[in-house]
Structure formats: C-alpha cells, structure tokens
Amino acid sequence: MAEPMTGKQDSCENPLAIHHFFSQDQFSRIEEIMYPRRVKAGSVIFWEGEPTGKLYYLRSGKVKLRKSTEDGKDFIFSVLQAGDLLCEPEDGLRKVHEFSAQVIEDAELGVIQWKDLEILLYRYGEFAVRFMNWMALMHRVTESKFRDLLLFGKPGALASTLIRLANSYGVACTDGIRISLKLTNSELAEMIGTTRESINRMLHGLQDEGTIEMRQGRIVILKLNELRKICQCPTCQACPKEVCRI
C-alpha cells in the first residue's frame, strides 16, 4: 500500500478527482451538462434498487456508499469526497442502482444525465478514452479493497481500512497521522463486514499496543508500519496512493 498522504485533503488534492483525468476544455464540457443540487447531511441521493440514469459530481461534502445484503446486513464500501464522481452507468443489462448513496456532510452536487454524457463519449474519442481510464482506476480501487478484506482476515481488513482512511483523510500531527473523518465503530464494522463488538476489541488491542490512539472521537495512527505488517502491505509493490484509498 502507498504511504498515507498528509496535510488537509480537499478537492484539489484528491488524486481520484475526475477533473485530473481530463484537459480543462474536456472537463468544461462535463460542467456544461451538469445542473446543481444541494443535499443536506443525512439525506439519501438514491436508494439501492432505484432506476439509474444519472451521475453525480461531488463539488463539496462527503457521501457514503452502502450495500445491503439479503440477510439485512449493511456494508459501506466507499466514502466519497469533493472532486469524486458517483458513477453507476447503465450497461444494457441492469438499470437499477446496486447500492445506496447517503450524504454524511452537507453536499453540493453537479447532476449529469447519463444520456447527455453518452453524447460526449460518442462525439469525442479522446474524451471517451480518458473516461475509460478513470473507470479502470476506480475498478482497481474497488478490487484492491476486496482483496484486502478477503485475504488477511478481520485484523488485516481493519488495518488496511485505517491506512486507506489515512490516505484519503489523513492530517499530519506531531506524533502520527490523524484521520479527520469521524466514524463510529458501527460504521467501521460495516466497512469490513464484521460486528461492532469485534471492532471494539480490535481497536482496543491496537490502542494497548500503542499503534493507534483515540482523540476526541477520531483515530490517530501512531505506528503506521505496524498496521502495514498486519495487512502484509510491504509485499505489495504495485499499490500507488491513487489506488490505496477508502
């Protein structure tokens, strides 16, 4: 996994921000087909099972993506920040969302009709290639998350998630990296598919070992290398910071 980024994270520093993948003129074409929408924290942009047909560019705020299982369990597989594009395009086979999107911090969105974006993809070849490059990278991010969740057990999954949170929302402090995004233990549990009680035990274990510390409800990573050992990320040589994110 990549070394966590330090310093305040914003849309300009987000390496997955969609505008990084396009020239200024190309991104201007995307902005021209957007219409604005403001959404309050706690609101749902769309529910799992609702029809697709729109993409959402996150100008500000934060949005969590949640998947529900048939037995009633929830799984949080991403927390988007400013600059991200929430994209679940129609592929000819499915026309409903596979997950729900909930706003966790007041958000300003740019809403894009998929049919309008399709026109740009058909009309401009280089634009289409760059959009494909972005989608390929997003696929790598998702693939790497599930790899860590499946291969290294719950402690490894938690360690990997903490490193990814540090890469996405890490702020340098005197003795470590403070994760600015405030998450409950229940939300952390939903990120790795376990129970809140299991998360409590693992976090207490990491605190007892001096690997992390809790300060005002936020996690501070004191020993990054210890987390890397748990999820065996020193063996991974091809995991740039653009991929090692939450």
PDB file of all heavy atoms in Angstrom, residues 47-62:
ATOM      1  N   TRP A  47     -31.572   5.304  -3.527  1.00  0.00           N
ATOM      2  CA  TRP A  47     -31.602   4.041  -2.802  1.00  0.00           C
ATOM      3  C   TRP A  47     -31.218   2.897  -3.725  1.00  0.00           C
ATOM      4  O   TRP A  47     -31.421   2.962  -4.939  1.00  0.00           O
ATOM      5  CB  TRP A  47     -33.000   3.767  -2.241  1.00  0.00           C
ATOM      6  CG  TRP A  47     -33.429   4.680  -1.134  1.00  0.00           C
ATOM      7  CD1 TRP A  47     -34.259   5.760  -1.234  1.00  0.00           C
ATOM      8  CD2 TRP A  47     -33.044   4.614   0.239  1.00  0.00           C
ATOM      9  NE1 TRP A  47     -34.418   6.367  -0.012  1.00  0.00           N
ATOM     10  CE2 TRP A  47     -33.685   5.679   0.919  1.00  0.00           C
ATOM     11  CE3 TRP A  47     -32.231   3.744   0.971  1.00  0.00           C
ATOM     12  CZ2 TRP A  47     -33.540   5.903   2.275  1.00  0.00           C
ATOM     13  CZ3 TRP A  47     -32.083   3.967   2.333  1.00  0.00           C
ATOM     14  CH2 TRP A  47     -32.734   5.035   2.973  1.00  0.00           C
ATOM     15  N   GLU A  48     -30.666   1.862  -3.137  1.00  0.00           N
ATOM     16  CA  GLU A  48     -30.394   0.638  -3.870  1.00  0.00           C
ATOM     17  C   GLU A  48     -31.700   0.118  -4.481  1.00  0.00           C
ATOM     18  O   GLU A  48     -32.729   0.059  -3.817  1.00  0.00           O
ATOM     19  CB  GLU A  48     -29.816  -0.403  -2.905  1.00  0.00           C
ATOM     20  CG  GLU A  48     -29.445  -1.721  -3.514  1.00  0.00           C
ATOM     21  CD  GLU A  48     -28.833  -2.675  -2.491  1.00  0.00           C
ATOM     22  OE1 GLU A  48     -28.482  -2.219  -1.376  1.00  0.00           O
ATOM     23  OE2 GLU A  48     -28.725  -3.868  -2.810  1.00  0.00           O
ATOM     24  N   GLY A  49     -31.654  -0.219  -5.765  1.00  0.00           N
ATOM     25  CA  GLY A  49     -32.835  -0.711  -6.454  1.00  0.00           C
ATOM     26  C   GLY A  49     -33.590   0.342  -7.232  1.00  0.00           C
ATOM     27  O   GLY A  49     -34.457   0.004  -8.050  1.00  0.00           O
ATOM     28  N   GLU A  50     -33.265   1.638  -7.007  1.00  0.00           N
ATOM     29  CA  GLU A  50     -33.905   2.690  -7.787  1.00  0.00           C
ATOM     30  C   GLU A  50     -33.287   2.765  -9.183  1.00  0.00           C
ATOM     31  O   GLU A  50     -32.150   2.359  -9.392  1.00  0.00           O
ATOM     32  CB  GLU A  50     -33.760   4.046  -7.077  1.00  0.00           C
ATOM     33  CG  GLU A  50     -34.611   4.176  -5.830  1.00  0.00           C
ATOM     34  CD  GLU A  50     -34.559   5.564  -5.233  1.00  0.00           C
ATOM     35  OE1 GLU A  50     -33.689   6.369  -5.643  1.00  0.00           O
ATOM     36  OE2 GLU A  50     -35.388   5.848  -4.350  1.00  0.00           O
ATOM     37  N   PRO A  51     -34.020   3.310 -10.162  1.00  0.00           N
ATOM     38  CA  PRO A  51     -33.503   3.388 -11.529  1.00  0.00           C
ATOM     39  C   PRO A  51     -32.234   4.238 -11.617  1.00  0.00           C
ATOM     40  O   PRO A  51     -32.082   5.231 -10.909  1.00  0.00           O
ATOM     41  CB  PRO A  51     -34.655   4.042 -12.305  1.00  0.00           C
ATOM     42  CG  PRO A  51     -35.865   3.765 -11.490  1.00  0.00           C
ATOM     43  CD  PRO A  51     -35.416   3.781 -10.056  1.00  0.00           C
ATOM     44  N   THR A  52     -31.334   3.807 -12.495  1.00  0.00           N
ATOM     45  CA  THR A  52     -30.126   4.590 -12.756  1.00  0.00           C
ATOM     46  C   THR A  52     -30.449   5.638 -13.823  1.00  0.00           C
ATOM     47  O   THR A  52     -31.601   5.877 -14.145  1.00  0.00           O
ATOM     48  CB  THR A  52     -28.995   3.681 -13.245  1.00  0.00           C
ATOM     49  OG1 THR A  52     -29.445   2.969 -14.416  1.00  0.00           O
ATOM     50  CG2 THR A  52     -28.598   2.678 -12.184  1.00  0.00           C
ATOM     51  N   GLY A  53     -29.417   6.248 -14.371  1.00  0.00           N
ATOM     52  CA  GLY A  53     -29.618   7.242 -15.434  1.00  0.00           C
ATOM     53  C   GLY A  53     -28.959   8.571 -15.151  1.00  0.00           C
ATOM     54  O   GLY A  53     -28.911   9.445 -16.016  1.00  0.00           O
ATOM     55  N   LYS A  54     -28.402   8.736 -13.924  1.00  0.00           N
ATOM     56  CA  LYS A  54     -27.739   9.985 -13.560  1.00  0.00           C
ATOM     57  C   LYS A  54     -26.387   9.706 -12.919  1.00  0.00           C
ATOM     58  O   LYS A  54     -26.188   8.670 -12.277  1.00  0.00           O
ATOM     59  CB  LYS A  54     -28.605  10.800 -12.591  1.00  0.00           C
ATOM     60  CG  LYS A  54     -29.939  11.246 -13.158  1.00  0.00           C
ATOM     61  CD  LYS A  54     -30.761  11.982 -12.116  1.00  0.00           C
ATOM     62  CE  LYS A  54     -32.119  12.370 -12.674  1.00  0.00           C
ATOM     63  NZ  LYS A  54     -32.976  13.036 -11.653  1.00  0.00           N
ATOM     64  N   LEU A  55     -25.462  10.625 -13.104  1.00  0.00           N
ATOM     65  CA  LEU A  55     -24.172  10.615 -12.432  1.00  0.00           C
ATOM     66  C   LEU A  55     -24.115  11.857 -11.552  1.00  0.00           C
ATOM     67  O   LEU A  55     -24.780  12.871 -11.832  1.00  0.00           O
ATOM     68  CB  LEU A  55     -23.013  10.618 -13.426  1.00  0.00           C
ATOM     69  CG  LEU A  55     -22.908   9.432 -14.384  1.00  0.00           C
ATOM     70  CD1 LEU A  55     -23.822   9.604 -15.601  1.00  0.00           C
ATOM     71  CD2 LEU A  55     -21.460   9.269 -14.866  1.00  0.00           C
ATOM     72  N   TYR A  56     -23.286  11.801 -10.502  1.00  0.00           N
ATOM     73  CA  TYR A  56     -23.237  12.904  -9.542  1.00  0.00           C
ATOM     74  C   TYR A  56     -21.783  13.303  -9.293  1.00  0.00           C
ATOM     75  O   TYR A  56     -20.991  12.503  -8.791  1.00  0.00           O
ATOM     76  CB  TYR A  56     -23.911  12.500  -8.230  1.00  0.00           C
ATOM     77  CG  TYR A  56     -25.340  12.066  -8.403  1.00  0.00           C
ATOM     78  CD1 TYR A  56     -25.654  10.739  -8.679  1.00  0.00           C
ATOM     79  CD2 TYR A  56     -26.384  12.990  -8.294  1.00  0.00           C
ATOM     80  CE1 TYR A  56     -26.967  10.338  -8.848  1.00  0.00           C
ATOM     81  CE2 TYR A  56     -27.701  12.591  -8.453  1.00  0.00           C
ATOM     82  CZ  TYR A  56     -27.992  11.263  -8.734  1.00  0.00           C
ATOM     83  OH  TYR A  56     -29.292  10.864  -8.902  1.00  0.00           O
ATOM     84  N   TYR A  57     -21.470  14.536  -9.640  1.00  0.00           N
ATOM     85  CA  TYR A  57     -20.147  15.091  -9.368  1.00  0.00           C
ATOM     86  C   TYR A  57     -20.199  15.796  -8.019  1.00  0.00           C
ATOM     87  O   TYR A  57     -21.048  16.660  -7.793  1.00  0.00           O
ATOM     88  CB  TYR A  57     -19.740  16.066 -10.468  1.00  0.00           C
ATOM     89  CG  TYR A  57     -18.435  16.778 -10.200  1.00  0.00           C
ATOM     90  CD1 TYR A  57     -17.234  16.080 -10.183  1.00  0.00           C
ATOM     91  CD2 TYR A  57     -18.402  18.157  -9.973  1.00  0.00           C
ATOM     92  CE1 TYR A  57     -16.026  16.724  -9.940  1.00  0.00           C
ATOM     93  CE2 TYR A  57     -17.209  18.803  -9.731  1.00  0.00           C
ATOM     94  CZ  TYR A  57     -16.027  18.091  -9.715  1.00  0.00           C
ATOM     95  OH  TYR A  57     -14.827  18.728  -9.466  1.00  0.00           O
ATOM     96  N   LEU A  58     -19.316  15.416  -7.114  1.00  0.00           N
ATOM     97  CA  LEU A  58     -19.340  15.950  -5.754  1.00  0.00           C
ATOM     98  C   LEU A  58     -18.458  17.196  -5.683  1.00  0.00           C
ATOM     99  O   LEU A  58     -17.233  17.106  -5.665  1.00  0.00           O
ATOM    100  CB  LEU A  58     -18.848  14.882  -4.776  1.00  0.00           C
ATOM    101  CG  LEU A  58     -19.019  15.141  -3.285  1.00  0.00           C
ATOM    102  CD1 LEU A  58     -20.478  15.444  -2.944  1.00  0.00           C
ATOM    103  CD2 LEU A  58     -18.533  13.946  -2.475  1.00  0.00           C
ATOM    104  N   ARG A  59     -19.106  18.359  -5.682  1.00  0.00           N
ATOM    105  CA  ARG A  59     -18.363  19.627  -5.597  1.00  0.00           C
ATOM    106  C   ARG A  59     -17.869  19.880  -4.178  1.00  0.00           C
ATOM    107  O   ARG A  59     -16.787  20.431  -3.980  1.00  0.00           O
ATOM    108  CB  ARG A  59     -19.245  20.789  -6.054  1.00  0.00           C
ATOM    109  CG  ARG A  59     -19.662  20.727  -7.522  1.00  0.00           C
ATOM    110  CD  ARG A  59     -20.439  21.979  -7.899  1.00  0.00           C
ATOM    111  NE  ARG A  59     -20.885  21.940  -9.281  1.00  0.00           N
ATOM    112  CZ  ARG A  59     -20.129  22.290 -10.313  1.00  0.00           C
ATOM    113  NH1 ARG A  59     -18.893  22.709 -10.119  1.00  0.00           N
ATOM    114  NH2 ARG A  59     -20.618  22.232 -11.543  1.00  0.00           N
ATOM    115  N   SER A  60     -18.654  19.506  -3.204  1.00  0.00           N
ATOM    116  CA  SER A  60     -18.266  19.658  -1.804  1.00  0.00           C
ATOM    117  C   SER A  60     -19.060  18.666  -0.979  1.00  0.00           C
ATOM    118  O   SER A  60     -20.083  18.129  -1.418  1.00  0.00           O
ATOM    119  CB  SER A  60     -18.529  21.093  -1.310  1.00  0.00           C
ATOM    120  OG  SER A  60     -19.918  21.387  -1.338  1.00  0.00           O
ATOM    121  N   GLY A  61     -18.578  18.414   0.253  1.00  0.00           N
ATOM    122  CA  GLY A  61     -19.260  17.494   1.136  1.00  0.00           C
ATOM    123  C   GLY A  61     -18.714  16.078   1.029  1.00  0.00           C
ATOM    124  O   GLY A  61     -17.704  15.824   0.362  1.00  0.00           O
ATOM    125  N   LYS A  62     -19.404  15.141   1.694  1.00  0.00           N
ATOM    126  CA  LYS A  62     -18.994  13.733   1.700  1.00  0.00           C
ATOM    127  C   LYS A  62     -20.222  12.846   1.558  1.00  0.00           C
ATOM    128  O   LYS A  62     -21.296  13.164   2.083  1.00  0.00           O
ATOM    129  CB  LYS A  62     -18.232  13.391   2.984  1.00  0.00           C
ATOM    130  CG  LYS A  62     -16.893  14.095   3.117  1.00  0.00           C
ATOM    131  CD  LYS A  62     -16.168  13.685   4.391  1.00  0.00           C
ATOM    132  CE  LYS A  62     -14.808  14.353   4.477  1.00  0.00           C
ATOM    133  NZ  LYS A  62     -14.895  15.818   4.571  1.00  0.00           N
TER     134      LYS A  62
END
